Amino acid sequence: MTSLPPPASAADDGLLAYWALPSADVLARLRTREAGLTTAEAQQIRQTAGPNTLKPHAAPSAWGLFFRQFQSPISLILIGAAGLSFFLRDVVDASIILVIILVSGVLSFSQEYGASAAMQQLLALVQVKTSVWRDGRAQPLPDEALVPGDVLSLSAGDLVPADCLLLSSNELFLNEATLTGETFPVAKQPGPVPAEAPLAARTNVLLLGASVVSGSGTAVVVRTGRATELGHLAARLETAPPETDFERGIRRFGYLLLELTLVLVLLIFAGNVLLHKPALEAFLFSLAIAVGLTPQLLPAIISINLAQGARRMARQQVVVKRLSSIENLGSMTVLCTDKTGTLTDGTVRVARIIDLHGQPAPVVQRLAKINAQLQQGFRNPLDAAILAFAPDDVAACPRLDEIPYDFIRKRLTILTELDGQPLMVTKGAVPNVLAVCQWADAGGPTPEPLAGYADEIQRRFEELSAQGFRTLGLAIKATGGRRDISAADETGMTFRGFITLFDSPKEGIRHTLDQLEELGIQLKMITGDNALVAAAVAKTVDINGAGEVLTGEALRQLSPEALRHQVARVHVFAEIEPNQKETLIRALQQAGYVVGYLGDGINDASALHAADVGISVDSAVNVAKESADIVLLQHDLKVLVQGVREGRRTFANTMKYLFMATSANFGNMLSMAGASVFLAFLPLLPGQILLTNLLTDLPEMTISSDNVEPAAVRQPARWDLAFIRRFMLTFGLLSSVFDFLSFGLLLWGFGAGPTLFRTGWFVESVLSASVIVLVVRTRRVFYRSRPGKWLLLSTAAVGAAVLLLPLSPLARVLGFAPLPLALYGAILGIVATYALAAEALKQWFYRRYARRAATRGGWKASTYTPITQPTEPSQPASASLG
């Protein structure tokens, strides 16, 4: 292939209005050809054009991620406070603060960097690719690799990966709703249009973000990345993706902590100043209290937990594209799915090809194979089944023209030549084929009027459907010598017979559906097949409530209120149009369900967008895979069941950290605030508070590897801020009670001065926070629930370190002193008593919470977790411990 010089920018080449130019001119100005670029040319162009992305997907640099650990307001204030201490020559305190901040940042960085690298590897598994002509042949390439001048082959189900000029097309229809708002498919054809034509009138342009609904075409890439129309729009409207329930909960939790922190800091600072304590010391102490109350490792731990959860899910063949969707997957209460490949094997086979009387029909079989063999649109399992079934040799039959399948006509027509005469061969949904027929071939010498056989055809169609066969109709029409056709020619056709297909139920599907029910997830089947086929399949796999089927026609007659009632009750929906899938999703959400949608087709994109968690498969068309939050590497509900369990384990471990950190931190900081008022000295120095917070966070960084009890994944769980607040206050107050017991012991039992007091309380505080981790991580009695290996080892290591620290050379630097042996024994006694009291309080707390939920009219209280006033019986439980 002759190498061409690289193109200049679109503006330099006069391509600002490329839709007004002949395609030959555009190719010349882009310095490309209809056979596409070479790899070397594309690499050269990429150096100037850059990657074809709206936003760079590159992982953050190591240094960038490292410095990001110190950009939170609290970290910046602490660094400023350390600088002020240096200025005032308080070098020891300043050094301690900086070292603790650095250690905390390094720990967060190491974990986040590993999680970020893992996520990049996972996302690479589900790259969207487009068929591109490079080096004279079509090959699938990642969309990011495309450059201006590339020539693409597009067909039904493809996403348009860049702004392109159409070179050739065959009944090509696109969905451009992303840019124009027009929901109906738009016809595309080559040929210049006026330069002043608005976006919607540029019929020769394919825009990034559009998707191919039907037909096929070739196009040349003109603009990529942020130079595209969608790129210009994205630059003006930098909008974040919709906030998930999990993200909303984290944000509200942050507001709660901010309110508590501000109140405590102001009160403590004012109180200490009024008591004539040094202002700088009081300020640093108040700031340290704020840090102690705030779980500053929360962002890192959430990222680590979700990323490790995503890695575990990937081992179960479930790839997470958006980390926050893990929580939605775990809280899912309804899963909507088609039947093909999910409830059935997904391997479609032809049962029989028959005439309208139900007899085998070799001629109809040959016509069906011609139609399936010659069509050049979207390859589908039905055509593959027909080609495998029919042994006829149709190589001599030419393809003269084609009207591709679309979801409005529900027909595919091929124009071929038989016995020297052009002949239209149409196959599709039986009602849609009959709609264009005037005659019927009843086996006589000539076709007869369809009206005389309409009842027999309908009866045969219903019988076949009721047996579970997917049934297509086939019709023909001679064109009188014409060698080109359009959709207007689909009229006055002759009905020839039926193509019956079947897809056996997937092996073990009933057991998988039972597992979903045990997880609190209802399955609802949404299919475009007719009601009889849907009912037969639902009966075969024993879907709950399969006796009733709601059709698309019946759905159109329902009011919004009636629809919300029906979607909660009915489990099988048939003859559903693509736009009605989104309607069903919205109705389920309004009825109070968390909805997952599993789809892999062109017509599933809007439903995947609308669902709380969109799920697709790796073999799906590009538009479906791009719309999904989660991609299954196997089209199997068993894989999804494992993904749901992993999602719930991940969410349970994330919630554990919140319960541990908030309850222990709140109690300690409340005690410290109270002690600072009646003591003549600060109960802990600012650096000691930060060290306490760091040591208590260390075991919690391993929480993502903690064991999760089976009960924690039995029911969906959702974020419940009221429950977290109640838990924090209840267990925080208990922690404060034992802190004040420690104060009394230190002051009156051992006559402790400032240094001994601080050392004793530091040891007690860290030990109690470490032990409480093992208590509150489970709803069961703590010694009956085995913690994860790393959580147990890190807790033991912190406990040993804090006991030895007062005896080490660092003690004096940190402001600590050796403790009497008797005080060690007393502290261990207080910690043991605290653990037993926390266990008793935990049992009381959950019993009381479950009773309150039950009396408010919710579910019967779960053996695992209470709930808060659900709308429907399938509502998920509120967040609790695993």
Side-chain angles (χ1 to χ4, degrees):
M1 181 179 282
T2 305
S3 180
L4 298 175
S9 69
D12 293 339
D13 276 341
L15 291 174
L16 288 176
Y18 60 91
W19 52 89
L21 300 173
S23 59
D25 287 0
V26 174
L27 289 171
R29 296 185 190 195
L30 287 170
R31 297 169 190 172
T32 185
R33 57 189 85 70
E34 289 194 10
L37 300 167
T38 65
T39 299
E41 290 167 353
Q43 289 173 346
Q44 190 175 356
I45 296 168
R46 185 181 168 92
Q47 291 177 2
T48 55
N52 180 34
T53 56
L54 297 181
K55 289 184 178 180
H57 293 299
S61 69
W63 283 112
L65 190 60
F66 177 75
F67 285 118
R68 200 175 73 189
Q69 309 303 319
F70 309 100
Q71 291 176 0
S72 70
I74 287 180
S75 294
L76 293 174
I77 291 172
L78 284 171
I79 293 170
L84 183 59
S85 295
F86 272 122
F87 179 74
L88 297 174
R89 299 183 181 179
D90 190 356
V91 178
V92 175
D93 271 356
S95 301
I96 291 172
I97 292 172
L98 288 178
V99 167
I100 290 173
I101 293 172
L102 182 63
V103 171
S104 177
V106 168
L107 286 172
S108 297
F109 162 76
S110 63
Q111 295 283 343
E112 274 199 78
Y113 187 72
S116 175
M119 280 308 300
Q120 294 300 318
Q121 292 172 1
L122 292 179
L123 290 175
L125 295 176
V126 289
Q127 277 186 325
V128 174
K129 297 182 178 181
T130 300
S131 179
V132 184
W133 286 89
R134 288 267 181 94
D135 301 318
R137 61 187 178 89
Q139 50 189 298
L141 292 178
D143 287 356
E144 187 177 313
L146 302 186
V147 297
D150 269 327
V151 175
L152 316 177
S153 293
L154 299 170
S155 59
D158 286 339
L159 281 171
V160 179
D163 284 1
C164 308
L165 181 75
L166 190 60
L167 301 177
S168 65
S169 69
N170 181 25
E171 298 290 338
L172 184 64
F173 285 82
L174 264 65
N175 183 332
E176 293 184 331
T178 305
L179 280 160
T180 66
E182 174 58 60
T183 55
F184 289 99
V186 178
K188 294 290 181 177
Q189 52 193 12
V193 298
E196 64 274 10
L199 210 60
R202 298 173 193 170
T203 54
N204 62 341
V205 169
L206 314 182
L207 297 173
L208 171 65
S211 58
V212 181
V213 176
S214 65
S216 59
T218 60
V220 61
V221 174
V222 180
R223 293 174 181 159
T224 58
R226 295 185 78 84
T228 61
E229 293 290 343
L230 190 61
H232 294 152
L233 182 64
R236 294 193 299 271
L237 303 171
E238 292 285 0
T239 56
E243 190 177 48
T244 66
D245 188 60
F246 183 74
E247 291 168 327
R248 191 179 304 112
I250 290 290
R251 177 172 52 79
R252 291 175 178 171
F253 176 68
Y255 290 155
L256 171 65
L257 286 183
L258 180 62
E259 292 167 5
L260 285 171
T261 301
L262 286 174
V263 170
L264 271 179
V265 166
L266 290 174
L267 289 176
I268 294 166
F269 180 69
N272 279 274
V273 169
L274 288 173
L275 292 171
H276 305 293
K277 293 178 181 176
L280 176 61
E281 197 173 71
F283 171 71
L284 289 175
F285 178 74
S286 302
L287 195 58
I289 289 281
V291 175
L293 182 60
T294 306
Q296 66 264 40
L297 293 181
L298 178 61
I301 285 176
I302 287 176
S303 297
I304 295 161
N305 205 12
L306 293 178
Q308 292 194 5
R311 275 193 279 190
R312 289 195 301 270
M313 291 170 73
R315 288 196 289 269
Q316 303 291 344
Q317 305 292 295
V318 180
V319 176
V320 178
K321 291 176 61 183
R322 185 181 177 192
L323 282 178
S324 55
S325 65
I326 291 177
E327 189 272 342
N328 276 356
L329 181 65
S331 62
M332 181 172 66
T333 56
V334 168
L335 174 64
C336 299
T337 180
D338 194 1
K339 57 180 179 58
T340 305
T342 306
L343 304 178
T344 62
D345 279 333
T347 305
V348 180
R349 292 179 286 274
V350 174
R352 292 187 298 163
I353 298 179
I354 55 179
D355 60 21
L356 61 86
H357 301 303
Q359 300 304 310
V363 175
V364 178
Q365 177 177 298
R366 178 174 173 79
L367 292 169
K369 183 162 186 178
I370 289 171
N371 181 283
Q373 179 81 34
L374 299 184
Q375 73 96 9
Q376 294 183 354
F378 178 60
R379 287 288 169 184
N380 63 80
L382 305 185
D383 287 325
I386 292 169
L387 294 176
F389 178 79
D392 306 71
D393 182 6
V394 297
C397 300
R399 176 188 175 278
L400 303 180
D401 204 353
E402 178 179 353
I403 309 172
Y405 180 88
D406 64 63
F407 293 101
I408 299 171
R409 293 167 38 255
K410 295 187 177 180
R411 298 183 297 268
L412 168 66
T413 298
I414 290 292
L415 180 63
T416 187
E417 187 177 285
L418 286 179
D419 301 326
Q421 294 297 318
L423 182 73
M424 291 170 60
V425 182
T426 297
K427 79 172 188 300
V430 173
N432 299 70
V433 171
L434 288 174
V436 296
C437 288
Q438 185 178 353
W439 310 94
D441 188 333
T446 59
E448 301 180 39
L450 179 68
Y453 294 91
D455 289 343
E456 182 179 354
I457 292 172
Q458 183 63 29
R459 184 170 61 253
R460 184 83 53 203
F461 172 55
E462 290 177 359
E463 288 173 356
L464 293 168
S465 297
Q467 294 169 30
F469 292 113
R470 181 168 186 178
T471 306
L472 305 179
L474 187 137
I476 61 171
K477 176 186 174 181
T479 62
R482 284 180 44 231
R483 304 176 74 83
D484 62 287
I485 55 173
S486 68
D489 294 309
E490 290 181 325
T491 183
M493 305 190 77
T494 300
F495 187 82
R496 291 299 306 261
F498 301 98
I499 306 164
T500 63
L501 306 107
F502 69 98
D503 185 5
S504 302
K506 195 180 287 284
E507 185 178 355
I509 185 62
R510 185 58 254 170
H511 176 65
T512 305
L513 296 182
D514 288 340
Q515 289 180 310
L516 283 173
E517 289 177 11
E518 289 170 3
L519 291 171
I521 299 173
Q522 298 181 38
L523 184 89
K524 295 187 184 286
M525 186 173 84
I526 301 177
T527 179
D529 278 351
N530 71 67
L532 295 171
V533 173
V537 172
K539 184 177 180 180
T540 302
V541 299
D542 192 23
I543 292 180
N544 184 29
E548 185 171 355
V549 178
L550 185 66
T551 65
E553 179 61 33
L555 189 142
R556 280 189 287 270
Q557 311 303 319
L558 296 175
S559 67
E561 293 78 11
L563 179 59
R564 281 197 296 271
H565 174 73
Q566 288 288 77
V567 294
R569 194 175 57 82
V570 177
H571 296 272
V572 181
F573 303 86
E575 301 172 24
I576 298 297
E577 302 291 340
N579 62 315
Q580 290 181 315
K581 294 182 179 182
E582 183 177 351
T583 301
L584 288 170
I585 300 296
R586 300 288 186 198
L588 283 163
Q589 290 168 332
Q590 291 165 10
Y593 295 92
V594 179
V595 184
Y597 184 85
L598 174 57
D600 62 355
I602 307 163
N603 57 348
D604 291 318
S606 63
L608 287 166
H609 271 299
D612 295 296
V613 53
I615 307 163
S616 193
V617 293
D618 193 38
S619 58
V621 297
N622 284 351
V623 67
K625 197 157 61 172
E626 185 68 16
S627 301
D629 302 306
I630 287 172
V631 177
L632 309 182
L633 299 183
Q634 291 181 24
H635 198 159
D636 194 334
L637 279 183
K638 286 187 288 189
V639 171
L640 184 61
V641 167
Q642 293 304 318
V644 168
R645 287 180 174 144
E646 285 297 342
R648 291 184 184 175
R649 289 187 186 103
T650 300
F651 181 64
N653 279 338
T654 303
M655 297 310 299
K656 285 179 190 179
Y657 171 73
L658 292 181
F659 290 130
M660 295 168 185
T662 53
S663 57
N665 289 4
F666 178 72
N668 284 343
M669 298 310 112
L670 192 62
S671 305
M672 211 172 303
S676 69
V677 175
F678 68 80
L679 288 176
F681 52 87
L682 292 178
L684 283 179
L685 297 174
Q688 293 169 344
I689 296 174
L690 297 179
L691 182 60
T692 301
N693 210 40
L694 176 65
L695 290 174
T696 54
D697 267 340
L698 282 175
E700 291 158 6
M701 290 192 73
T702 66
I703 198 67
S704 62
S705 64
D706 189 27
N707 296 328
V708 177
E709 295 158 9
V713 299
R714 284 185 195 145
Q715 293 293 339
R718 295 184 74 179
W719 189 278
D720 185 348
L721 188 60
F723 178 75
I724 295 171
R725 182 171 55 242
R726 191 177 296 114
F727 192 97
M728 179 177 71
L729 294 174
T730 303
F731 284 85
L733 289 173
L734 177 69
S735 174
S736 288
V737 168
F738 278 86
D739 283 337
F740 281 105
L741 286 176
S742 301
F743 296 163
L745 175 72
L746 289 165
L747 291 172
W748 299 306
F750 288 87
T755 302
L756 186 62
F757 181 94
R758 289 166 182 155
T759 308
W761 191 40
F762 168 78
V763 171
E764 186 274 337
S765 182
V766 175
L767 285 178
S768 62
S770 300
V771 168
I772 201 68
V773 166
L774 304 178
V775 175
V776 302
R777 58 168 290 277
T778 174
R779 270 207 64 183
R780 301 173 64 190
V781 177
F782 73 91
Y783 56 80
R784 292 180 179 170
S785 175
R786 184 170 58 88
K789 178 179 70 174
W790 294 112
L791 177 63
L792 191 60
L793 288 176
S794 59
T795 301
V798 167
V802 78
L803 289 171
L804 295 173
L805 185 59
L807 306 174
S808 73
L810 285 174
R812 188 170 181 181
V813 176
L814 296 170
F816 295 136
L819 296 178
L821 190 61
L823 183 53
Y824 270 121
I827 289 173
L828 292 175
I830 287 176
V831 171
T833 308
Y834 171 54
L836 295 175
E839 178 61 44
L841 180 64
K842 180 182 72 177
Q843 299 301 325
W844 170 86
F845 178 83
Y846 281 116
R847 283 196 303 271
R848 182 172 183 270
Y849 190 79
R851 280 200 305 272
R852 287 183 58 181
T855 57
R856 284 200 301 261
W859 292 340
K860 179 180 179 182
S862 166
T863 56
Y864 147 62
T865 179
I867 51 95
T868 52
Q869 213 167 357
T871 312
E872 294 286 341
S874 59
Q875 281 289 293
S878 54
S880 185
L881 303 175

